[in-house]
Amino acid sequence: LTCMNTPCRCKLEAESPDRGTASSETSTTVDVPVALENGIPSVVAADVKHAALRAARYVAERGVGEKTAADGFTFILGASNIILAFREHLEFDDKELTTRTRTGRFSSCLDYRGKGVNIKTWMKGAARREFLNACSRDGAVVIDGVTGEVCCGGFFVANVADGEAGGGARTAAASAIATQAGGCFVIMASHDICHSNPTASDNFRVYDRVNTPHDVPVLVEEQE
């Protein structure tokens, strides 16, 4: 799959005043948006969490479009203004711009901020194509935990030192980012559970602001 921006606007966006150009790192204070879940402050609202689990079940069972099964995926829900706090743009082979952020990096071609893609309404119109494209790429999908905006796809976590030991790269990244950026709610689906006939033994690994997971069944709808 190629960049969904037609024509590709990656370089134009990189040079725009509001996105900035390559620059040295600066020390800034970023406010953490807060939602209330059962009266407890959180960077992830309950409705966004539930919508993300519904979307994860859809992608795991039905794939990423054109009769193509998902090859595993990760959703990171949290304070997107911290997760994606801009550091610099990096260009590779004069073709692809990569945005480096406070916590990782992603391809600028997969930047969906301001394009109307929301985890609560992604099934509608062009948003569906954009969201499934994000799910088909290597790296994670970053979702704002308060608004539900799908911010980007292809996100790679920079620091995985505190990630869960004994798993692969996806496990290390998912578990590590859960304790960063004020705490994230992370849904990870392995390749093995992405198929059209899920069973009772198929589970998502969910990291809720800690780097140890709990299992959430693919087949069972989450409870309010």
Side-chain angles (χ1 to χ4, degrees):
L1 293 173
T2 58
C3 174
M4 300 304 292
N5 294 329
T6 306
C8 180
R9 296 192 297 273
C10 294
K11 291 188 178 182
L12 295 178
E13 291 176 353
E15 296 167 356
S16 64
D18 59 335
R19 291 294 171 89
T21 55
S23 62
S24 60
E25 297 180 9
T26 58
S27 176
T28 58
T29 300
V30 183
D31 291 332
V32 179
V34 173
L36 289 178
E37 183 176 0
N38 298 323
I40 301 173
S42 172
V43 293
V44 181
D47 62 335
V48 175
K49 183 187 300 183
H50 296 159
L53 284 167
R54 286 192 295 270
R57 290 188 171 100
Y58 179 98
V59 175
E61 185 174 354
R62 303 189 187 187
V64 294
E66 299 181 359
K67 299 181 179 180
T68 301
D71 190 26
F73 56 88
T74 302
F75 296 165
I76 301 171
L77 286 64
S80 64
N81 61 331
I82 296 180
I83 298 169
L84 302 180
F86 178 78
R87 284 284 172 83
E88 63 180 338
H89 285 301
L90 305 171
E91 189 170 350
F92 297 98
D93 301 325
D94 295 324
K95 295 179 181 179
E96 183 177 273
L97 276 170
T98 293
T99 299
R100 191 164 75 90
T101 78
R102 177 177 293 190
T103 59
R105 61 180 172 84
F106 67 98
S107 170
S108 300
C109 293
L110 297 174
D111 188 345
Y112 298 123
R113 289 172 292 183
K115 297 180 180 179
V117 185
N118 193 288
I119 198 64
K120 294 182 283 188
T121 58
W122 68 272
M123 286 290 288
K124 299 178 181 178
R128 181 178 185 276
R129 182 182 67 250
E130 301 280 26
F131 177 69
L132 292 178
N133 179 51
C135 294
S136 73
R137 300 301 189 98
D138 291 337
V141 179
V142 176
I143 301 165
D144 187 85
V146 174
T147 68
E149 180 181 35
V150 176
C151 299
C152 75
F155 183 82
F156 292 88
V157 178
N159 184 356
V160 298
D162 293 330
E164 183 183 4
R170 180 179 285 128
T171 297
S175 54
I177 194 65
T179 62
Q180 300 175 32
C184 300
F185 182 86
V186 184
I187 304 168
M188 193 195 83
S190 66
H191 169 80
D192 294 341
I193 70 168
C194 294
H195 52 82
S196 59
N197 295 298
T199 68
S201 62
D202 290 332
N203 294 293
F204 299 113
R205 293 172 71 85
V206 172
Y207 301 85
D208 189 358
R209 292 169 285 183
V210 294
N211 61 5
T212 53
H214 65 271
D215 289 340
V216 174
V218 175
L219 280 177
V220 180
E221 189 69 20
E222 75 275 6
Q223 300 296 313
E224 296 291 339

